[in-house]
Amino acid sequence: MNCESRYRLLLYLLSTLLFEFSAADETRNISQVLRDLGSDHVLLCLSAHPDDEDGATLAYYRVKFGVKTHSVFFTRGEGGQNEKGPELYEELGAIREEETERAARILGSDLSYLNFYDFGYSKTATETLRMWGGWEEVLRRLVHVIRKLKPDVIITNHKTMGGHGHHQAVAIAAIAAFDASADTSFHHEQFTEDGTDPWQPRKLFFRVSRRTGLRVDRYDVAIPVGEYNPLYRESYSQSAIRALREHVTQGMDKIANTMTPAPHTYYRLNRSASLFDVDTLDLFHGIDITLDFSAKVNALKTKVSQLSSVELGAMDIFRLGNVMNEATELLDVGNLSPLEHRVVSAWHSELGQLAFHSAGVQWRTEDTDWLVVPGQNVRLSITVQAGKKVGLDSLKVGLLFPSGWTWDSPQEFFRESVKQKEKIKLTAHICVPRDARLTYPRAKHLFDSMDGGTLGSAVVDYSVGGIWFRKEFPLPFEVAPHHVLDVDPGKAFVRETGLMLRYRVTNHGKNKTAGRVRAIKPEGWVTETAEFVIPYEDSSASGGIRVRPMSLPPPGVFPLIFETDWSSDTVWVSSFPVEVPRDLFVGIVESYDNTLENALAQLGVRYQKLREKDLKTADLSLYHTILIDMRAYLVRSDLVEANARVLEYVGDGGNLVVMYQKDIEWKSEYAPYPIELSRRRVSNETAPVLMLEPNHPLLQYPNRIIEEDWDGWVQERGLYFPQSHGSEYRQLLATADPDESLLTTGYLVAGYGAGSYIYTSFSWYRQLREAHPGAMRNLANMISYGLRESRRRGD
């Protein structure tokens, strides 16, 4: 399933989720809302990337106590690896955002993003803060979100020293923001935004890790997350593991399957706004926010507390409505402190939830096209059903959309005397403005929003016994261009014979569409024009377009722009010298990435992807080289099973090239001579590269590798460098991050029998995606090495 199909499915699930929640077991829904009413605290978890959050602690406080929980992520994790498919960077960030939304629904947390770019692994907070725009910008964004969410307690899994530089930066910023958020002189312009006020959190905790033998670092609070949660019939730790499984791109589904639920999570107090009594089981112990309530808010608090202690099934909806009206009046009159406004707003929302479930009202949307285009008219159908126990005096549905969106009048739907269990279907025709802000594809709009908010919502007002209640539902509309054109690869290398590009045009308009994919090409280029016909909405047409220069252009990078009447995409084409023997035939053991396939195609090399049957029974001697893709030993069990046969291919004269594997997935016996991997990496993509044996054939044939071939790399040099290896291997390259010792094991080569074996930890795949000249020349040398050696021997 491609990104687009997956996202269409997500929109559908979101549209049905509201109905599923409202139709779910009323006892569990009411029980949770009663817990919510019983707590006025707010917990904020700060994380550098998705899946960094402490899910067990969030689930514990959210589900057991009804604490309002927020997860704030500094990045969307787009700089990570992807164990699910070939998507990287913004495309990966969009997928990880979807994974995080699913995990948050399990944990019950609200999400926010600070929109910092994930530039990959960093070893220092200094580099991270520089790449994120500087200390002032990092602190400004964090303080802003603290002032909006107003947490009592802040937690983070991260530490100020050691590990990922992004993690260090989060921890350092958390300490500074604890005080800066209350400083009225720090970015006082933020206070002009409604709901953003000076705010002093009460406590800041850093998590401490378990140690071998059940010992832990010194801690102040041990949270019993291993407790059984009867509401969901699992422990809070198990809920966290279930949420972790959603992060498939990071392989967390596999890790979760091996995890033992933790009985506790441990935290150390880092900052405190005042002295609090010590309780080793509760982050919030000693925090009594009611001391800062006015008399009128405290009076309402008493009534809310009485409601929250009512037994299930005994809820008096009229009494509930009276309390809700008092909350409404307090909010309307104003004169509330920021803390009081936070609390009363939460009561108002929770009372509405309680009334909704107690009255048994259900709602759903149907027959709605959630992915729309500018200028489209879309039918929105809303079905509201009165509860089994009560009818509704009146029912009113209103719609909230951005400026410019219109719908047929009346702009509110009104019905009177809705009987018990009666279903009312309300239909509106929404007109999307022609200048509507585009939000889809998500990868192209990843940083548009900090909270992933929806474009519209429906407000359901209903009265029971003369008392009005309100419930707001998000409407998951996304706005796409009429056509989405994708041309792949987005960066490519061109030879005299030209380049074959793949295109896909997706129609998001309501009607059949037809057109052409045209190229805006530099002078002296010949390009094809591809015609397409797409009969249905949200279907696609795809094909290939060949582009060819009349003569080989000088070295450089230049754009080829492709367009339809509604959309465009740019391919950045590189021209540079690279030599490849004509008679090469390469086999690829592919993992989850198609970079090697694209690179070989651009080099004009004949290749074949090796399936399970090929590895087990085919004549491998047909291939001059077999390429084993990065982390293929993780995802290709057939490779593991056939590894002895692959090594036999090497011994019989073949050339095997193994891209980086991860230490926990690798066994030394996979190689012909021992190789033990480590977690060491070189994260600085500008780190100098020293050629230890510059005259070695692998650095000379058919391309002479020079110093300039290491310039202009992206994200990193290499990762999971071997920590030890057999003496049979030659070490060809050395590199290191600043102030660290040289790593000399990133490019190893050895003869084995009549053949050759190459293991490399350099991040070639990221560079090959960029059509980087040095990476392409190195790849050409790697796949040519066996051919050169056999020719040298006269085979």
Side-chain angles (χ1 to χ4, degrees):
M1 182 182 295
N2 59 32
C3 282
E4 176 190 337
S5 300
R6 181 172 56 248
Y7 195 67
R8 295 284 305 174
L9 177 60
L10 178 65
L11 288 178
Y12 170 77
L13 293 175
L14 284 173
S15 69
T16 59
L17 192 61
L18 300 173
F19 178 66
E20 290 173 1
F21 278 160
S22 62
D25 180 70
E26 288 184 1
T27 300
R28 188 172 71 179
N29 286 331
I30 294 175
S31 178
Q32 183 61 60
V33 179
L34 290 174
R35 296 182 188 195
D36 297 346
L37 278 171
S39 173
D40 302 323
H41 288 140
V42 175
L43 175 65
L44 172 61
C45 181
L46 298 178
S47 303
H49 320 97
D51 75 35
D52 283 345
E53 70 272 29
D54 179 0
T57 299
L58 289 170
Y60 176 78
Y61 278 102
R62 177 74 190 93
V63 179
K64 180 175 182 178
F65 297 108
V67 171
K68 183 72 170 176
T69 55
H70 296 275
S71 283
V72 173
F73 299 97
F74 279 57
T75 77
R76 287 172 171 81
E78 66 276 12
Q81 302 174 51
N82 184 357
E83 294 186 15
K84 188 177 180 181
E87 299 89 355
L88 291 177
Y89 309 118
E90 282 80 3
E91 287 186 338
L92 175 58
I95 298 172
R96 294 194 70 178
E97 191 177 73
E98 295 170 17
E99 293 176 336
T100 305
E101 289 168 358
R102 292 194 295 269
R105 284 198 290 272
I106 295 172
L107 301 174
S109 299
D110 290 339
L111 303 178
S112 297
Y113 297 92
L114 295 190
N115 280 357
F116 290 114
Y117 183 67
D118 184 353
F119 57 91
Y121 191 88
S122 174
K123 294 183 178 179
T124 66
T126 301
E127 180 192 35
T128 299
L129 294 171
R130 174 174 55 81
M131 295 295 289
W132 284 354
W135 171 246
E136 180 74 12
E137 179 60 15
V138 172
L139 188 58
R140 182 191 71 81
R141 293 195 202 182
L142 178 55
V143 164
H144 186 216
V145 78
I146 290 174
R147 288 169 170 174
K148 286 176 60 179
L149 300 179
K150 300 176 175 61
D152 301 303
V153 171
I154 300 175
I155 61 173
T156 181
N157 277 349
H158 304 322
K159 300 178 181 179
T160 58
M161 298 180 65
H164 202 317
H166 296 182
H167 297 179
Q168 298 172 34
V170 170
I172 294 169
I175 295 171
F178 185 82
D179 294 323
S181 58
D183 182 355
T184 56
S185 67
F186 185 80
H187 284 277
H188 56 82
E189 77 282 354
Q190 294 178 354
F191 305 136
T192 61
E193 180 182 339
D194 189 35
T196 303
D197 307 284
W199 185 256
Q200 179 61 69
R202 308 300 178 100
K203 298 180 183 179
L204 169 65
F205 288 94
F206 282 6
R207 188 174 177 181
V208 293
S209 302
R210 292 180 65 100
R211 292 281 185 88
T212 304
L214 300 183
R215 293 178 55 197
V216 298
D217 292 329
R218 184 183 66 79
Y219 65 89
D220 296 306
V221 179
I223 304 167
V225 295
E227 286 185 6
Y228 180 73
N229 171 21
L231 206 58
Y232 291 91
R233 298 181 180 178
E234 61 185 2
S235 70
Y236 302 102
S237 287
Q238 288 171 322
S239 295
I241 292 173
R242 187 157 52 91
L244 194 63
R245 287 194 181 97
E246 298 296 337
H247 297 280
V248 178
T249 60
Q250 305 309 295
M252 292 300 173
D253 53 330
K254 306 178 189 69
I255 294 175
N257 291 334
T258 66
M259 293 177 66
T260 300
H264 293 85
T265 54
Y266 298 91
Y267 279 90
R268 180 184 299 170
L269 183 66
N270 185 280
R271 288 289 186 277
S272 176
S274 63
L275 293 176
F276 295 100
D277 294 337
V278 176
D279 186 324
T280 59
L281 297 178
D282 184 17
L283 298 173
F284 290 89
H285 184 76
I287 300 176
D288 185 358
I289 62 176
T290 63
L291 297 176
D292 296 323
F293 287 175
S294 63
K296 56 186 177 182
V297 174
N298 261 320
L300 183 57
K301 167 67 177 176
T302 300
K303 296 178 182 180
V304 169
S305 298
Q306 291 171 348
L307 281 177
S308 67
S309 61
V310 172
E311 292 184 7
L312 298 182
M315 181 59 59
D316 184 342
I317 195 167
F318 303 107
R319 178 184 170 197
L320 191 160
N322 288 325
V323 178
M324 187 173 181
N325 285 343
E326 288 188 40
T328 304
E329 290 175 7
L330 273 179
L331 292 173
D332 290 343
V333 171
N335 298 323
L336 298 176
S337 70
L339 170 63
E340 290 175 328
H341 194 277
R342 183 199 83 181
V343 171
V344 176
S345 296
W347 290 343
H348 189 271
S349 173
E350 291 156 1
L351 289 166
Q353 291 268 15
L354 186 57
F356 191 79
H357 294 304
S358 296
V361 178
Q362 297 182 19
W363 112 298
R364 69 178 177 186
T365 59
E366 56 188 21
D367 303 327
T368 300
D369 181 7
W370 297 111
L371 191 59
V372 298
V373 298
Q376 179 179 339
N377 291 314
V378 59
R379 182 173 179 266
L380 173 62
S381 295
I382 299 173
T383 299
V384 182
Q385 179 179 344
K388 299 177 181 179
K389 300 178 182 179
V390 297
L392 307 180
D393 301 334
S394 301
L395 171 69
K396 183 169 61 175
V397 179
L399 300 176
L400 299 175
F401 284 103
S403 176
W405 290 59
T406 59
W407 51 95
D408 53 3
S409 68
Q411 292 193 353
E412 290 181 340
F413 310 103
F414 186 81
R415 285 289 299 269
E416 291 184 334
S417 300
V418 181
K419 300 177 181 178
Q420 291 175 226
K421 299 173 64 175
E422 182 181 356
K423 291 183 180 180
I424 305 298
K425 187 172 184 178
L426 308 167
T427 301
H429 293 88
I430 313 296
C431 181
V432 184
R434 294 189 180 278
D435 61 350
R437 178 176 64 88
L438 299 180
T439 63
Y440 182 88
R442 286 278 286 272
K444 293 185 177 181
H445 301 278
L446 192 61
F447 301 103
D448 290 358
S449 171
M450 296 182 73
D451 57 7
T454 54
L455 284 172
S457 60
V459 179
V460 179
D461 292 297
Y462 58 96
S463 64
V464 180
I467 298 180
W468 283 93
F469 302 92
R470 166 166 288 194
K471 176 73 173 173
E472 186 171 327
F473 299 94
L475 300 172
F477 281 107
E478 295 279 8
V479 182
H482 286 73
H483 291 167
V484 173
L485 172 64
D486 289 304
V487 183
D488 186 57
K491 296 181 180 179
F493 161 68
V494 66
R495 300 173 297 124
E496 299 91 333
T497 54
L499 175 67
M500 176 62 75
L501 299 169
R502 300 181 297 274
Y503 73 86
R504 176 185 293 271
V505 183
T506 304
N507 172 39
H508 294 300
K510 292 293 292 183
N511 303 314
K512 173 182 178 180
T513 187
R516 295 181 177 181
V517 179
R518 306 176 298 272
I520 302 175
K521 57 185 183 298
E523 184 177 352
W525 279 70
V526 177
T527 63
E528 299 173 348
T529 298
E531 296 185 351
F532 63 86
V533 177
I534 307 176
Y536 307 110
E537 179 184 13
D538 300 324
S539 57
S540 302
S542 58
I545 297 180
R546 178 164 290 280
V547 299
R548 181 173 60 86
M550 296 298 291
S551 60
L552 189 63
V557 181
F558 46 90
L560 284 178
I561 301 174
F562 296 86
E563 62 179 13
T564 70
D565 291 338
W566 297 97
S567 185
S568 65
D569 198 14
T570 300
V571 175
W572 293 93
V573 178
S574 298
S575 174
F576 49 82
V578 58
E579 297 293 331
V580 184
R582 292 185 178 182
D583 47 358
L584 277 177
F585 186 28
V586 175
I588 306 175
V589 182
E590 203 170 50
S591 54
Y592 39 72
D593 187 80
N594 60 359
T595 300
L596 291 179
E597 179 183 0
N598 284 339
L600 292 180
Q602 292 167 40
L603 289 171
V605 174
R606 189 164 62 101
Y607 68 88
Q608 179 176 327
K609 292 191 286 187
L610 302 181
R611 310 299 184 189
E612 179 178 358
K613 182 178 180 181
D614 300 318
L615 289 173
K616 292 182 176 180
T617 63
D619 183 2
L620 299 181
S621 67
L622 297 174
Y623 306 101
H624 297 104
T625 293
I626 291 178
L627 279 172
I628 295 182
D629 204 355
M630 60 168 187
R631 303 189 67 182
Y633 283 96
L634 167 69
V635 298
R636 294 289 297 269
S637 59
D638 57 329
L639 170 62
V640 175
E641 295 170 2
N643 193 69
R645 191 166 186 267
V646 173
L647 292 182
E648 183 181 345
Y649 152 82
V650 179
D652 289 343
N655 179 43
L656 185 65
V657 179
V658 181
M659 298 297 178
Y660 84 82
Q661 310 295 310
K662 196 171 182 178
D663 57 327
I664 60 175
E665 304 150 6
W666 172 261
K667 294 182 180 180
S668 184
E669 57 264 30
Y670 291 157
Y673 311 112
I675 294 179
E676 296 288 344
L677 302 185
S678 73
R679 299 192 66 81
R680 295 194 65 183
R681 62 203 299 161
V682 178
S683 61
N684 189 332
E685 61 273 8
T686 66
V689 176
L690 174 66
M691 289 183 280
L692 300 176
E693 293 193 40
N695 294 320
H696 190 279
L698 197 50
L699 300 176
Q700 290 290 327
Y701 175 83
N703 302 278
R704 180 172 173 264
I705 303 303
I706 58 177
E707 290 184 4
E708 286 76 9
D709 286 323
W710 313 108
D711 295 340
W713 276 43
V714 298
Q715 188 151 320
E716 59 196 356
R717 284 295 192 203
L719 56 172
Y720 310 121
F721 280 67
Q723 60 184 346
S724 63
H725 59 76
S727 60
E728 296 85 354
Y729 294 101
R730 306 286 290 274
Q731 300 178 350
L732 302 188
L733 302 176
T735 186
D737 277 320
D739 302 321
E740 293 188 3
S741 58
L742 281 176
L743 295 176
T744 61
T745 59
Y747 206 5
L748 303 176
V749 59
Y752 181 66
S756 50
Y757 182 91
I758 300 169
Y759 185 92
T760 176
S761 297
F762 281 77
S763 60
W764 300 110
Y765 81 107
R766 289 190 185 272
Q767 320 315 319
L768 293 172
R769 284 175 67 101
E770 302 290 316
H772 184 275
M776 297 290 273
R777 283 192 280 265
N778 270 281
L779 178 65
N781 285 16
M782 283 187 268
I783 61 177
S784 306
Y785 186 66
L787 184 64
R788 183 220 182 258
E789 290 298 284
S790 65
R791 286 176 174 173
R792 181 179 60 81
R793 294 190 301 264
D795 295 349

